[in-house]
Amino acid sequence: MAYGEALAALADPTRRELFERLRRGPQAVGGLADQVPVSRPAVSQHLQVLKAAGLVADEAQGTARIYRIRAEGLAELRRWLDGFWDEPLAR
């Protein structure tokens, strides 16, 4: 995952809201859709963008897809952001 993909994925307010909701723990698409003012198919599409950016992962549990935040996906984004702190402080 490139940090640019993560930033682009999180630029959308609905995706940011879904991502924030996943901070509380893994959730099914249906549960997430109940919490936001967009359709279930739209939630699935937003989650696919977050997945393509490496920020979330999913797994099948019966007929449900359960999404969770990928710590590994956040690591590259965090390294990039930390560079803005490390470089100026080193000077």
Side-chain angles (χ1 to χ4, degrees), residues 4-80:
E5 292 175 50
L7 290 173
L10 293 171
D12 181 273
T14 301
R15 285 194 286 270
R16 275 196 315 275
E17 184 173 351
L18 292 169
F19 192 72
E20 286 285 335
R21 291 182 183 281
L22 288 172
R23 288 177 71 180
R24 299 179 191 131
Q27 294 188 50
V29 174
L32 288 166
D34 291 342
Q35 301 173 51
V36 294
V38 296
S39 68
R40 185 178 175 150
V43 168
S44 292
Q45 289 176 342
H46 284 298
L47 290 168
Q48 286 304 310
V49 172
L50 291 169
K51 183 178 175 181
L55 294 171
V56 300
D58 66 326
E59 65 180 82
Q61 287 187 3
T63 60
R65 300 236 40 101
I66 308 298
Y67 282 82
R68 64 174 175 77
I69 290 178
R70 284 187 70 244
E72 305 87 355
L74 286 173
E76 185 172 333
L77 180 58
R78 183 171 181 182
R79 279 192 296 276
W80 179 75

